[in-house]
Amino acid sequence: MSEAADITEDAFLGGQLRLRQKRTGHRAGHDAILLAAATEARPGDRVVDFGAGIGTAGLALARRVAGIGLSLVEIDPELAELARANAAANALAAETILLDVTADATAFAAYGLSPDSVDVVLMNPPFNDPARHRGSPDQARHTAHVATEETLHAWMHAARRILRSNGVLTLIWRADGIADVLAALARGFGSLSILPVHGESGRPAIRVLVRAVKGGRAPTRLLPGLMLNDASGVSKKEVTEILEGRAALPLVEP
């Protein structure tokens, strides 16, 4: 298969965002769009997308909130190049940084991501437990999906380091790992807002979206769950509006 045939171009946000991505391996989906819809940002904010992949979440946020200073951090060179091209193709300003999120402060500072310099971090870390989920033989897909024991803590530490005081972290994680998320946020973050995401009504949540504030002291809020589908399996109207970029999730404060 030729290199061109190995790439697809897919529409997101109801066609507002067109992204090129590899046909095989990890592919962008609802998680990244939900993450973008849960992320609060204002024009002029410096925003960093950790593990950006082809840029889906960060670019979807940039489409909703004009005027942010966006950095897409990705460890895979092929994905980083696709992210760079996707930003340009969609006329969205974004800096693409080839960097391991678990790198030390010196490595981050070399790309201008010094401590206490960022307003918003969003991330969709690898979250499958290798003890419970068989990893994909495709290395890129494996890296994107399977977490080591220290993954979450390492990513939280990096976010805490670069965020300013009162800076906001938003992440998506598997719902059965919420205890791990809360433990990782216990150091340095507060004012948590948690939104469970259910595949369908009457079933346990499959994801949680979490908003946390560096140094925040407000009580934790557990929001009503988001149901992706109704009892018949059809996407609900409010979900369709979110996935098409016409609405934000309640973690975004007015």
Side-chain angles (χ1 to χ4, degrees), residues 121-217:
V121 171
L122 64 156
M123 61 183 177
N124 178 11
F127 55 51
N128 286 338
D129 182 347
R132 299 167 57 195
H133 299 265
R134 180 178 296 177
S136 169
D138 182 282
Q139 186 56 48
R141 189 177 180 88
H142 181 91
T143 300
H145 285 272
V146 178
T148 67
E149 184 177 351
E150 298 301 321
T151 298
L152 188 58
H153 285 274
W155 284 48
M156 296 286 196
H157 175 71
R160 183 173 58 246
R161 186 176 61 221
I162 66 172
L163 280 168
R164 296 188 174 100
S165 179
N166 293 316
V168 175
L169 167 66
T170 308
L171 71 145
I172 189 167
W173 193 258
R174 65 177 199 275
D176 65 2
I178 184 60
D180 298 326
V181 172
L182 297 178
L185 288 170
R187 182 185 173 195
F189 288 100
S191 304
L192 307 186
S193 296
I194 303 169
L195 175 66
V197 179
H198 301 256
E200 57 188 71
S201 179
R203 304 281 298 187
I206 55 174
R207 300 284 187 269
V208 285
L209 286 153
V210 182
R211 178 187 187 274
V213 178
K214 181 178 176 178
R217 296 182 178 276

Side-chain angles (χ1 to χ4, degrees), residues 50-71:
F50 277 179
I54 63 165
T56 313
L59 295 176
L61 176 60
R63 181 61 81 209
R64 191 184 91 235
V65 184
I68 60 173
L70 177 63
S71 296

Side-chain angles (χ1 to χ4, degrees), residues 45-48 69 71 112-121 159 161-168 214:
D45 279 353
R46 190 172 190 199
V47 178
V48 179
S71 296
L113 299 176
S114 54
D116 307 309
S117 65
V118 169
D119 300 292
V120 177
V121 171
R161 186 176 61 221
I162 66 172
L163 280 168
R164 296 188 174 100
S165 179
N166 293 316
V168 175
K214 181 178 176 178

